[in-house]
Amino acid sequence: MESTEPEPSGSRPEEEEEEEEEEEEEEEEDEGALPGPEQPLAAMEDCLAKKMEITVSEAEKRTGRNAMNIQETYTAYLIETRAVESQSEGQCAPVESLWRRYSEFELLRNYLSVTYPHIVVPPLPEKRLSADNMDPDFVERRRIGLENFLLRVASHPVLCQDKIFYAFLMQEGGWKEMVNETGFQLKADSRLKALNATFRVKNPDKRFTELKHYSDELQSVISHLLRVRARVADRLYGVYKVHGNYGRVFSEWSAIEKEMGDGLQSAGHHMDVYAASIDDILEEEEHYADQLKEYLFYAEALRAVCRKHELMQYDLEMAAQDLTSKKQQCEELATGTVRTFSLKGMTSKLFGQETPEQREAKIKVLEEQIQEGEEQLKSKNLEGRDFVKSAWADIERFKEQKNHDLKEALISYAVMQISMCKKGIQVWTNAKECFSKM
């Protein structure tokens, strides 16, 4: 960030400026060597996922009253945890369990996103507002997605150590109050403020700009891939079900043939089995789609990190601009010259100059504000450097995770397609044998 931070114009000694430039160059060199994947992997050795088994084992439909005292139907999910260390020692660790609603998962993620703005926080499975959010297949897929979310957080070297996350897993009563007491909502940046920073920041960091562009492209590519997969799955379903017509025709034909009847009947049976197998195949297809959707939503998590950096950069630029303005005012008061046109300058010309005492008092106030502004600017610079360093370390960790996960998902999908092709070949090979025996 130091390559883009504005330096306030001022009258600091040249020696101090040279020392600071040398320090900045050293920090730039450190930041240029982005943290390698071995750092997050080493930290994962001590993550919560290594110490605790976490599952979302079942979902249950419930009815109750919401905060508005309106009757509603919702789904609750059973979270079960078990200590791993006890099992390794030969003891049977007790299972701890509690129920959570999807809205509580949302509250947890919002808290993590605000509390750790430099981290690419794992996304939740998609949310539906329509009536079919009680559909058993959708609820089951959401259950798997929520379990995956918890495992992602529990495997993260930083997020897994959060006390609020641990309480989410272990403490059913009073958890919401505990989250709200953190005051994280007050720290959340408004979307309007973030949008304003995006368009008004003057010196955006090239790395974050490129990352933001990459997240947009990643989301676009995965969206297109999901649409193609859906079209292929629809056509595949039709092809498989049409094979059921072969089965029906062969069965009807076998009824009027004596010598050929058994062969036709057997071939028809193979076709029926083949047609029925599409349901299991489509279930595998949906699992593959959910893996891709997770990274569709991860793209937004990447953009959230970029937006936070833009906000910090914009605040830094505004602080530098304000400091420069105050220094100029102080100089004008001290020298009695006005560099730029202002209403204040016109007023002085019309109604006379200020007395020396008045000028001294204003200069004193401005000097105090300048000192405070310099400290504030220094603090923002330091905060920005820390953010960049932490953010890029986590982005590198995320990239490693993404490459591994998407590679495995694509390989699994290819294996599934090969398996389907082999199954089709086997069906027609069996049918050929049936025909040969007629």
PDB file of all heavy atoms in Angstrom, residues 145-179:
ATOM      1  N   GLY A 145     -23.833 -28.080   2.574  1.00  0.00           N
ATOM      2  CA  GLY A 145     -23.138 -26.813   2.393  1.00  0.00           C
ATOM      3  C   GLY A 145     -22.802 -26.130   3.714  1.00  0.00           C
ATOM      4  O   GLY A 145     -21.724 -25.547   3.874  1.00  0.00           O
ATOM      5  N   LEU A 146     -23.716 -26.206   4.687  1.00  0.00           N
ATOM      6  CA  LEU A 146     -23.461 -25.607   5.995  1.00  0.00           C
ATOM      7  C   LEU A 146     -22.354 -26.351   6.736  1.00  0.00           C
ATOM      8  O   LEU A 146     -21.522 -25.736   7.417  1.00  0.00           O
ATOM      9  CB  LEU A 146     -24.750 -25.613   6.831  1.00  0.00           C
ATOM     10  CG  LEU A 146     -25.866 -24.687   6.330  1.00  0.00           C
ATOM     11  CD1 LEU A 146     -27.126 -24.881   7.161  1.00  0.00           C
ATOM     12  CD2 LEU A 146     -25.433 -23.225   6.352  1.00  0.00           C
ATOM     13  N   GLU A 147     -22.340 -27.668   6.596  1.00  0.00           N
ATOM     14  CA  GLU A 147     -21.255 -28.445   7.203  1.00  0.00           C
ATOM     15  C   GLU A 147     -19.915 -28.064   6.577  1.00  0.00           C
ATOM     16  O   GLU A 147     -18.909 -27.903   7.286  1.00  0.00           O
ATOM     17  CB  GLU A 147     -21.519 -29.939   7.034  1.00  0.00           C
ATOM     18  CG  GLU A 147     -20.428 -30.827   7.626  1.00  0.00           C
ATOM     19  CD  GLU A 147     -20.751 -32.308   7.514  1.00  0.00           C
ATOM     20  OE1 GLU A 147     -21.705 -32.757   8.168  1.00  0.00           O
ATOM     21  OE2 GLU A 147     -20.052 -33.004   6.740  1.00  0.00           O
ATOM     22  N   ASN A 148     -19.910 -27.915   5.263  1.00  0.00           N
ATOM     23  CA  ASN A 148     -18.688 -27.519   4.576  1.00  0.00           C
ATOM     24  C   ASN A 148     -18.215 -26.142   5.042  1.00  0.00           C
ATOM     25  O   ASN A 148     -17.013 -25.909   5.217  1.00  0.00           O
ATOM     26  CB  ASN A 148     -18.932 -27.507   3.066  1.00  0.00           C
ATOM     27  CG  ASN A 148     -17.675 -27.205   2.278  1.00  0.00           C
ATOM     28  OD1 ASN A 148     -16.700 -27.941   2.324  1.00  0.00           O
ATOM     29  ND2 ASN A 148     -17.690 -26.094   1.554  1.00  0.00           N
ATOM     30  N   PHE A 149     -19.165 -25.217   5.258  1.00  0.00           N
ATOM     31  CA  PHE A 149     -18.822 -23.879   5.758  1.00  0.00           C
ATOM     32  C   PHE A 149     -18.134 -23.969   7.112  1.00  0.00           C
ATOM     33  O   PHE A 149     -17.090 -23.333   7.348  1.00  0.00           O
ATOM     34  CB  PHE A 149     -20.088 -23.024   5.858  1.00  0.00           C
ATOM     35  CG  PHE A 149     -19.914 -21.762   6.659  1.00  0.00           C
ATOM     36  CD1 PHE A 149     -19.236 -20.673   6.144  1.00  0.00           C
ATOM     37  CD2 PHE A 149     -20.430 -21.672   7.950  1.00  0.00           C
ATOM     38  CE1 PHE A 149     -19.069 -19.514   6.884  1.00  0.00           C
ATOM     39  CE2 PHE A 149     -20.267 -20.519   8.702  1.00  0.00           C
ATOM     40  CZ  PHE A 149     -19.582 -19.439   8.168  1.00  0.00           C
ATOM     41  N   LEU A 150     -18.701 -24.756   8.025  1.00  0.00           N
ATOM     42  CA  LEU A 150     -18.107 -24.897   9.351  1.00  0.00           C
ATOM     43  C   LEU A 150     -16.711 -25.517   9.282  1.00  0.00           C
ATOM     44  O   LEU A 150     -15.797 -25.106  10.004  1.00  0.00           O
ATOM     45  CB  LEU A 150     -19.010 -25.748  10.244  1.00  0.00           C
ATOM     46  CG  LEU A 150     -20.370 -25.142  10.620  1.00  0.00           C
ATOM     47  CD1 LEU A 150     -21.157 -26.110  11.504  1.00  0.00           C
ATOM     48  CD2 LEU A 150     -20.208 -23.801  11.316  1.00  0.00           C
ATOM     49  N   LEU A 151     -16.546 -26.503   8.408  1.00  0.00           N
ATOM     50  CA  LEU A 151     -15.238 -27.149   8.263  1.00  0.00           C
ATOM     51  C   LEU A 151     -14.223 -26.183   7.654  1.00  0.00           C
ATOM     52  O   LEU A 151     -13.038 -26.203   8.024  1.00  0.00           O
ATOM     53  CB  LEU A 151     -15.366 -28.408   7.398  1.00  0.00           C
ATOM     54  CG  LEU A 151     -16.163 -29.559   8.025  1.00  0.00           C
ATOM     55  CD1 LEU A 151     -16.326 -30.700   7.026  1.00  0.00           C
ATOM     56  CD2 LEU A 151     -15.486 -30.066   9.288  1.00  0.00           C
ATOM     57  N   ARG A 152     -14.664 -25.328   6.736  1.00  0.00           N
ATOM     58  CA  ARG A 152     -13.771 -24.322   6.150  1.00  0.00           C
ATOM     59  C   ARG A 152     -13.273 -23.365   7.239  1.00  0.00           C
ATOM     60  O   ARG A 152     -12.081 -23.044   7.308  1.00  0.00           O
ATOM     61  CB  ARG A 152     -14.498 -23.518   5.077  1.00  0.00           C
ATOM     62  CG  ARG A 152     -14.861 -24.269   3.828  1.00  0.00           C
ATOM     63  CD  ARG A 152     -13.666 -24.464   2.926  1.00  0.00           C
ATOM     64  NE  ARG A 152     -14.056 -24.823   1.581  1.00  0.00           N
ATOM     65  CZ  ARG A 152     -13.256 -25.431   0.725  1.00  0.00           C
ATOM     66  NH1 ARG A 152     -12.022 -25.757   1.083  1.00  0.00           N
ATOM     67  NH2 ARG A 152     -13.674 -25.725  -0.499  1.00  0.00           N
ATOM     68  N   VAL A 153     -14.198 -22.890   8.068  1.00  0.00           N
ATOM     69  CA  VAL A 153     -13.823 -21.950   9.123  1.00  0.00           C
ATOM     70  C   VAL A 153     -12.920 -22.640  10.150  1.00  0.00           C
ATOM     71  O   VAL A 153     -11.919 -22.074  10.596  1.00  0.00           O
ATOM     72  CB  VAL A 153     -15.078 -21.373   9.813  1.00  0.00           C
ATOM     73  CG1 VAL A 153     -14.680 -20.455  10.969  1.00  0.00           C
ATOM     74  CG2 VAL A 153     -15.931 -20.599   8.813  1.00  0.00           C
ATOM     75  N   ALA A 154     -13.281 -23.880  10.510  1.00  0.00           N
ATOM     76  CA  ALA A 154     -12.496 -24.620  11.503  1.00  0.00           C
ATOM     77  C   ALA A 154     -11.100 -24.957  10.995  1.00  0.00           C
ATOM     78  O   ALA A 154     -10.186 -25.207  11.790  1.00  0.00           O
ATOM     79  CB  ALA A 154     -13.229 -25.901  11.898  1.00  0.00           C
ATOM     80  N   SER A 155     -10.906 -24.964   9.670  1.00  0.00           N
ATOM     81  CA  SER A 155      -9.595 -25.271   9.077  1.00  0.00           C
ATOM     82  C   SER A 155      -8.771 -24.015   8.816  1.00  0.00           C
ATOM     83  O   SER A 155      -7.605 -24.121   8.449  1.00  0.00           O
ATOM     84  CB  SER A 155      -9.784 -26.037   7.755  1.00  0.00           C
ATOM     85  OG  SER A 155     -10.464 -27.249   7.966  1.00  0.00           O
ATOM     86  N   HIS A 156      -9.383 -22.846   8.989  1.00  0.00           N
ATOM     87  CA  HIS A 156      -8.655 -21.602   8.722  1.00  0.00           C
ATOM     88  C   HIS A 156      -7.745 -21.282   9.900  1.00  0.00           C
ATOM     89  O   HIS A 156      -8.185 -21.319  11.062  1.00  0.00           O
ATOM     90  CB  HIS A 156      -9.639 -20.448   8.483  1.00  0.00           C
ATOM     91  CG  HIS A 156      -8.997 -19.241   7.907  1.00  0.00           C
ATOM     92  ND1 HIS A 156      -8.260 -18.355   8.670  1.00  0.00           N
ATOM     93  CD2 HIS A 156      -8.948 -18.762   6.629  1.00  0.00           C
ATOM     94  CE1 HIS A 156      -7.816 -17.385   7.900  1.00  0.00           C
ATOM     95  NE2 HIS A 156      -8.211 -17.603   6.659  1.00  0.00           N
ATOM     96  N   PRO A 157      -6.478 -20.939   9.646  1.00  0.00           N
ATOM     97  CA  PRO A 157      -5.527 -20.716  10.740  1.00  0.00           C
ATOM     98  C   PRO A 157      -5.884 -19.565  11.671  1.00  0.00           C
ATOM     99  O   PRO A 157      -5.434 -19.541  12.810  1.00  0.00           O
ATOM    100  CB  PRO A 157      -4.204 -20.438  10.011  1.00  0.00           C
ATOM    101  CG  PRO A 157      -4.590 -20.045   8.622  1.00  0.00           C
ATOM    102  CD  PRO A 157      -5.843 -20.793   8.322  1.00  0.00           C
ATOM    103  N   VAL A 158      -6.690 -18.612  11.210  1.00  0.00           N
ATOM    104  CA  VAL A 158      -7.069 -17.464  12.042  1.00  0.00           C
ATOM    105  C   VAL A 158      -8.500 -17.593  12.547  1.00  0.00           C
ATOM    106  O   VAL A 158      -8.766 -17.474  13.752  1.00  0.00           O
ATOM    107  CB  VAL A 158      -6.904 -16.137  11.263  1.00  0.00           C
ATOM    108  CG1 VAL A 158      -7.384 -14.956  12.104  1.00  0.00           C
ATOM    109  CG2 VAL A 158      -5.453 -15.933  10.865  1.00  0.00           C
ATOM    110  N   LEU A 159      -9.425 -17.844  11.646  1.00  0.00           N
ATOM    111  CA  LEU A 159     -10.847 -17.893  12.010  1.00  0.00           C
ATOM    112  C   LEU A 159     -11.145 -18.983  13.030  1.00  0.00           C
ATOM    113  O   LEU A 159     -12.034 -18.820  13.878  1.00  0.00           O
ATOM    114  CB  LEU A 159     -11.709 -18.115  10.763  1.00  0.00           C
ATOM    115  CG  LEU A 159     -11.625 -17.046   9.665  1.00  0.00           C
ATOM    116  CD1 LEU A 159     -12.547 -17.405   8.505  1.00  0.00           C
ATOM    117  CD2 LEU A 159     -11.970 -15.666  10.211  1.00  0.00           C
ATOM    118  N   CYS A 160     -10.430 -20.097  12.960  1.00  0.00           N
ATOM    119  CA  CYS A 160     -10.707 -21.221  13.857  1.00  0.00           C
ATOM    120  C   CYS A 160     -10.445 -20.870  15.319  1.00  0.00           C
ATOM    121  O   CYS A 160     -10.954 -21.539  16.224  1.00  0.00           O
ATOM    122  CB  CYS A 160      -9.896 -22.447  13.453  1.00  0.00           C
ATOM    123  SG  CYS A 160      -8.123 -22.312  13.817  1.00  0.00           S
ATOM    124  N   GLN A 161      -9.656 -19.823  15.569  1.00  0.00           N
ATOM    125  CA  GLN A 161      -9.320 -19.451  16.940  1.00  0.00           C
ATOM    126  C   GLN A 161     -10.296 -18.439  17.537  1.00  0.00           C
ATOM    127  O   GLN A 161     -10.155 -18.048  18.698  1.00  0.00           O
ATOM    128  CB  GLN A 161      -7.901 -18.868  16.970  1.00  0.00           C
ATOM    129  CG  GLN A 161      -6.838 -19.826  16.460  1.00  0.00           C
ATOM    130  CD  GLN A 161      -5.452 -19.198  16.433  1.00  0.00           C
ATOM    131  OE1 GLN A 161      -5.081 -18.448  17.342  1.00  0.00           O
ATOM    132  NE2 GLN A 161      -4.682 -19.479  15.397  1.00  0.00           N
ATOM    133  N   ASP A 162     -11.290 -18.040  16.765  1.00  0.00           N
ATOM    134  CA  ASP A 162     -12.232 -17.024  17.239  1.00  0.00           C
ATOM    135  C   ASP A 162     -13.165 -17.609  18.307  1.00  0.00           C
ATOM    136  O   ASP A 162     -13.750 -18.684  18.126  1.00  0.00           O
ATOM    137  CB  ASP A 162     -13.057 -16.490  16.062  1.00  0.00           C
ATOM    138  CG  ASP A 162     -13.923 -15.322  16.469  1.00  0.00           C
ATOM    139  OD1 ASP A 162     -13.432 -14.179  16.424  1.00  0.00           O
ATOM    140  OD2 ASP A 162     -15.082 -15.557  16.859  1.00  0.00           O
ATOM    141  N   LYS A 163     -13.324 -16.879  19.405  1.00  0.00           N
ATOM    142  CA  LYS A 163     -14.144 -17.362  20.521  1.00  0.00           C
ATOM    143  C   LYS A 163     -15.627 -17.409  20.163  1.00  0.00           C
ATOM    144  O   LYS A 163     -16.358 -18.289  20.627  1.00  0.00           O
ATOM    145  CB  LYS A 163     -13.926 -16.457  21.737  1.00  0.00           C
ATOM    146  CG  LYS A 163     -12.520 -16.539  22.312  1.00  0.00           C
ATOM    147  CD  LYS A 163     -12.364 -15.614  23.514  1.00  0.00           C
ATOM    148  CE  LYS A 163     -10.952 -15.709  24.089  1.00  0.00           C
ATOM    149  NZ  LYS A 163     -10.768 -14.787  25.251  1.00  0.00           N
ATOM    150  N   ILE A 164     -16.073 -16.475  19.340  1.00  0.00           N
ATOM    151  CA  ILE A 164     -17.479 -16.456  18.940  1.00  0.00           C
ATOM    152  C   ILE A 164     -17.794 -17.692  18.083  1.00  0.00           C
ATOM    153  O   ILE A 164     -18.864 -18.302  18.220  1.00  0.00           O
ATOM    154  CB  ILE A 164     -17.808 -15.163  18.159  1.00  0.00           C
ATOM    155  CG1 ILE A 164     -17.642 -13.936  19.060  1.00  0.00           C
ATOM    156  CG2 ILE A 164     -19.228 -15.224  17.595  1.00  0.00           C
ATOM    157  CD1 ILE A 164     -18.597 -13.874  20.229  1.00  0.00           C
ATOM    158  N   PHE A 165     -16.869 -18.062  17.202  1.00  0.00           N
ATOM    159  CA  PHE A 165     -17.061 -19.271  16.385  1.00  0.00           C
ATOM    160  C   PHE A 165     -17.109 -20.514  17.267  1.00  0.00           C
ATOM    161  O   PHE A 165     -17.958 -21.391  17.078  1.00  0.00           O
ATOM    162  CB  PHE A 165     -15.940 -19.402  15.357  1.00  0.00           C
ATOM    163  CG  PHE A 165     -15.939 -20.709  14.613  1.00  0.00           C
ATOM    164  CD1 PHE A 165     -17.029 -21.072  13.832  1.00  0.00           C
ATOM    165  CD2 PHE A 165     -14.863 -21.580  14.708  1.00  0.00           C
ATOM    166  CE1 PHE A 165     -17.046 -22.284  13.158  1.00  0.00           C
ATOM    167  CE2 PHE A 165     -14.870 -22.786  14.032  1.00  0.00           C
ATOM    168  CZ  PHE A 165     -15.968 -23.148  13.257  1.00  0.00           C
ATOM    169  N   TYR A 166     -16.215 -20.584  18.245  1.00  0.00           N
ATOM    170  CA  TYR A 166     -16.207 -21.746  19.143  1.00  0.00           C
ATOM    171  C   TYR A 166     -17.514 -21.819  19.930  1.00  0.00           C
ATOM    172  O   TYR A 166     -18.094 -22.904  20.113  1.00  0.00           O
ATOM    173  CB  TYR A 166     -15.018 -21.653  20.092  1.00  0.00           C
ATOM    174  CG  TYR A 166     -14.841 -22.888  20.943  1.00  0.00           C
ATOM    175  CD1 TYR A 166     -14.248 -24.030  20.414  1.00  0.00           C
ATOM    176  CD2 TYR A 166     -15.266 -22.911  22.269  1.00  0.00           C
ATOM    177  CE1 TYR A 166     -14.087 -25.172  21.189  1.00  0.00           C
ATOM    178  CE2 TYR A 166     -15.111 -24.048  23.048  1.00  0.00           C
ATOM    179  CZ  TYR A 166     -14.519 -25.173  22.508  1.00  0.00           C
ATOM    180  OH  TYR A 166     -14.368 -26.296  23.277  1.00  0.00           O
ATOM    181  N   ALA A 167     -17.996 -20.660  20.384  1.00  0.00           N
ATOM    182  CA  ALA A 167     -19.268 -20.630  21.116  1.00  0.00           C
ATOM    183  C   ALA A 167     -20.428 -21.041  20.218  1.00  0.00           C
ATOM    184  O   ALA A 167     -21.403 -21.661  20.673  1.00  0.00           O
ATOM    185  CB  ALA A 167     -19.510 -19.237  21.688  1.00  0.00           C
ATOM    186  N   PHE A 168     -20.351 -20.701  18.927  1.00  0.00           N
ATOM    187  CA  PHE A 168     -21.385 -21.104  17.972  1.00  0.00           C
ATOM    188  C   PHE A 168     -21.513 -22.628  17.934  1.00  0.00           C
ATOM    189  O   PHE A 168     -22.617 -23.163  17.796  1.00  0.00           O
ATOM    190  CB  PHE A 168     -21.036 -20.571  16.582  1.00  0.00           C
ATOM    191  CG  PHE A 168     -22.019 -20.923  15.506  1.00  0.00           C
ATOM    192  CD1 PHE A 168     -23.134 -20.143  15.270  1.00  0.00           C
ATOM    193  CD2 PHE A 168     -21.824 -22.055  14.704  1.00  0.00           C
ATOM    194  CE1 PHE A 168     -24.047 -20.461  14.276  1.00  0.00           C
ATOM    195  CE2 PHE A 168     -22.725 -22.387  13.707  1.00  0.00           C
ATOM    196  CZ  PHE A 168     -23.842 -21.581  13.497  1.00  0.00           C
ATOM    197  N   LEU A 169     -20.383 -23.308  18.051  1.00  0.00           N
ATOM    198  CA  LEU A 169     -20.372 -24.774  18.002  1.00  0.00           C
ATOM    199  C   LEU A 169     -20.783 -25.411  19.324  1.00  0.00           C
ATOM    200  O   LEU A 169     -21.325 -26.525  19.328  1.00  0.00           O
ATOM    201  CB  LEU A 169     -18.976 -25.277  17.627  1.00  0.00           C
ATOM    202  CG  LEU A 169     -18.414 -24.852  16.271  1.00  0.00           C
ATOM    203  CD1 LEU A 169     -16.971 -25.314  16.149  1.00  0.00           C
ATOM    204  CD2 LEU A 169     -19.250 -25.410  15.135  1.00  0.00           C
ATOM    205  N   MET A 170     -20.538 -24.725  20.430  1.00  0.00           N
ATOM    206  CA  MET A 170     -20.661 -25.371  21.737  1.00  0.00           C
ATOM    207  C   MET A 170     -21.736 -24.794  22.651  1.00  0.00           C
ATOM    208  O   MET A 170     -22.165 -25.451  23.587  1.00  0.00           O
ATOM    209  CB  MET A 170     -19.307 -25.293  22.471  1.00  0.00           C
ATOM    210  CG  MET A 170     -18.122 -25.813  21.677  1.00  0.00           C
ATOM    211  SD  MET A 170     -18.282 -27.558  21.207  1.00  0.00           S
ATOM    212  CE  MET A 170     -18.216 -28.323  22.821  1.00  0.00           C
ATOM    213  N   GLN A 171     -22.165 -23.579  22.415  1.00  0.00           N
ATOM    214  CA  GLN A 171     -23.073 -22.900  23.350  1.00  0.00           C
ATOM    215  C   GLN A 171     -24.363 -22.504  22.651  1.00  0.00           C
ATOM    216  O   GLN A 171     -24.389 -21.574  21.851  1.00  0.00           O
ATOM    217  CB  GLN A 171     -22.371 -21.653  23.922  1.00  0.00           C
ATOM    218  CG  GLN A 171     -23.191 -20.873  24.923  1.00  0.00           C
ATOM    219  CD  GLN A 171     -22.433 -19.670  25.467  1.00  0.00           C
ATOM    220  OE1 GLN A 171     -21.215 -19.704  25.623  1.00  0.00           O
ATOM    221  NE2 GLN A 171     -23.155 -18.597  25.735  1.00  0.00           N
ATOM    222  N   GLU A 172     -25.441 -23.206  22.968  1.00  0.00           N
ATOM    223  CA  GLU A 172     -26.708 -22.953  22.272  1.00  0.00           C
ATOM    224  C   GLU A 172     -27.405 -21.706  22.787  1.00  0.00           C
ATOM    225  O   GLU A 172     -27.866 -20.863  22.024  1.00  0.00           O
ATOM    226  CB  GLU A 172     -27.630 -24.168  22.407  1.00  0.00           C
ATOM    227  CG  GLU A 172     -28.875 -24.076  21.544  1.00  0.00           C
ATOM    228  CD  GLU A 172     -29.525 -25.426  21.323  1.00  0.00           C
ATOM    229  OE1 GLU A 172     -29.188 -26.388  22.042  1.00  0.00           O
ATOM    230  OE2 GLU A 172     -30.383 -25.529  20.418  1.00  0.00           O
ATOM    231  N   GLY A 173     -27.509 -21.571  24.094  1.00  0.00           N
ATOM    232  CA  GLY A 173     -28.216 -20.433  24.669  1.00  0.00           C
ATOM    233  C   GLY A 173     -27.328 -19.219  24.828  1.00  0.00           C
ATOM    234  O   GLY A 173     -26.153 -19.331  25.220  1.00  0.00           O
ATOM    235  N   GLY A 174     -27.859 -18.040  24.534  1.00  0.00           N
ATOM    236  CA  GLY A 174     -27.136 -16.795  24.747  1.00  0.00           C
ATOM    237  C   GLY A 174     -26.083 -16.469  23.713  1.00  0.00           C
ATOM    238  O   GLY A 174     -25.357 -15.472  23.852  1.00  0.00           O
ATOM    239  N   TRP A 175     -26.005 -17.279  22.634  1.00  0.00           N
ATOM    240  CA  TRP A 175     -24.956 -17.028  21.644  1.00  0.00           C
ATOM    241  C   TRP A 175     -25.202 -15.732  20.881  1.00  0.00           C
ATOM    242  O   TRP A 175     -24.271 -14.951  20.646  1.00  0.00           O
ATOM    243  CB  TRP A 175     -24.867 -18.200  20.657  1.00  0.00           C
ATOM    244  CG  TRP A 175     -23.824 -17.974  19.615  1.00  0.00           C
ATOM    245  CD1 TRP A 175     -22.479 -18.139  19.745  1.00  0.00           C
ATOM    246  CD2 TRP A 175     -24.026 -17.486  18.279  1.00  0.00           C
ATOM    247  NE1 TRP A 175     -21.828 -17.800  18.575  1.00  0.00           N
ATOM    248  CE2 TRP A 175     -22.753 -17.395  17.667  1.00  0.00           C
ATOM    249  CE3 TRP A 175     -25.150 -17.129  17.545  1.00  0.00           C
ATOM    250  CZ2 TRP A 175     -22.593 -16.955  16.357  1.00  0.00           C
ATOM    251  CZ3 TRP A 175     -24.989 -16.679  16.248  1.00  0.00           C
ATOM    252  CH2 TRP A 175     -23.733 -16.607  15.658  1.00  0.00           C
ATOM    253  N   LYS A 176     -26.450 -15.482  20.481  1.00  0.00           N
ATOM    254  CA  LYS A 176     -26.750 -14.255  19.738  1.00  0.00           C
ATOM    255  C   LYS A 176     -26.402 -13.018  20.547  1.00  0.00           C
ATOM    256  O   LYS A 176     -25.852 -12.044  20.013  1.00  0.00           O
ATOM    257  CB  LYS A 176     -28.235 -14.216  19.360  1.00  0.00           C
ATOM    258  CG  LYS A 176     -28.613 -15.123  18.206  1.00  0.00           C
ATOM    259  CD  LYS A 176     -30.068 -14.901  17.826  1.00  0.00           C
ATOM    260  CE  LYS A 176     -30.470 -15.755  16.646  1.00  0.00           C
ATOM    261  NZ  LYS A 176     -31.884 -15.557  16.284  1.00  0.00           N
ATOM    262  N   GLU A 177     -26.719 -13.053  21.854  1.00  0.00           N
ATOM    263  CA  GLU A 177     -26.405 -11.916  22.710  1.00  0.00           C
ATOM    264  C   GLU A 177     -24.889 -11.701  22.774  1.00  0.00           C
ATOM    265  O   GLU A 177     -24.415 -10.559  22.776  1.00  0.00           O
ATOM    266  CB  GLU A 177     -26.963 -12.153  24.120  1.00  0.00           C
ATOM    267  CG  GLU A 177     -28.483 -12.117  24.231  1.00  0.00           C
ATOM    268  CD  GLU A 177     -29.170 -13.354  23.671  1.00  0.00           C
ATOM    269  OE1 GLU A 177     -28.468 -14.374  23.432  1.00  0.00           O
ATOM    270  OE2 GLU A 177     -30.388 -13.311  23.468  1.00  0.00           O
ATOM    271  N   MET A 178     -24.141 -12.800  22.805  1.00  0.00           N
ATOM    272  CA  MET A 178     -22.687 -12.713  22.842  1.00  0.00           C
ATOM    273  C   MET A 178     -22.141 -12.040  21.582  1.00  0.00           C
ATOM    274  O   MET A 178     -21.245 -11.198  21.645  1.00  0.00           O
ATOM    275  CB  MET A 178     -22.083 -14.117  22.978  1.00  0.00           C
ATOM    276  CG  MET A 178     -20.576 -14.123  23.147  1.00  0.00           C
ATOM    277  SD  MET A 178     -19.888 -15.807  23.154  1.00  0.00           S
ATOM    278  CE  MET A 178     -20.754 -16.503  24.542  1.00  0.00           C
ATOM    279  N   VAL A 179     -22.719 -12.392  20.431  1.00  0.00           N
ATOM    280  CA  VAL A 179     -22.283 -11.785  19.168  1.00  0.00           C
ATOM    281  C   VAL A 179     -22.606 -10.299  19.146  1.00  0.00           C
ATOM    282  O   VAL A 179     -21.762  -9.468  18.777  1.00  0.00           O
ATOM    283  CB  VAL A 179     -22.947 -12.482  17.963  1.00  0.00           C
ATOM    284  CG1 VAL A 179     -22.485 -11.834  16.669  1.00  0.00           C
ATOM    285  CG2 VAL A 179     -22.620 -13.948  17.937  1.00  0.00           C
TER     286      VAL A 179
END
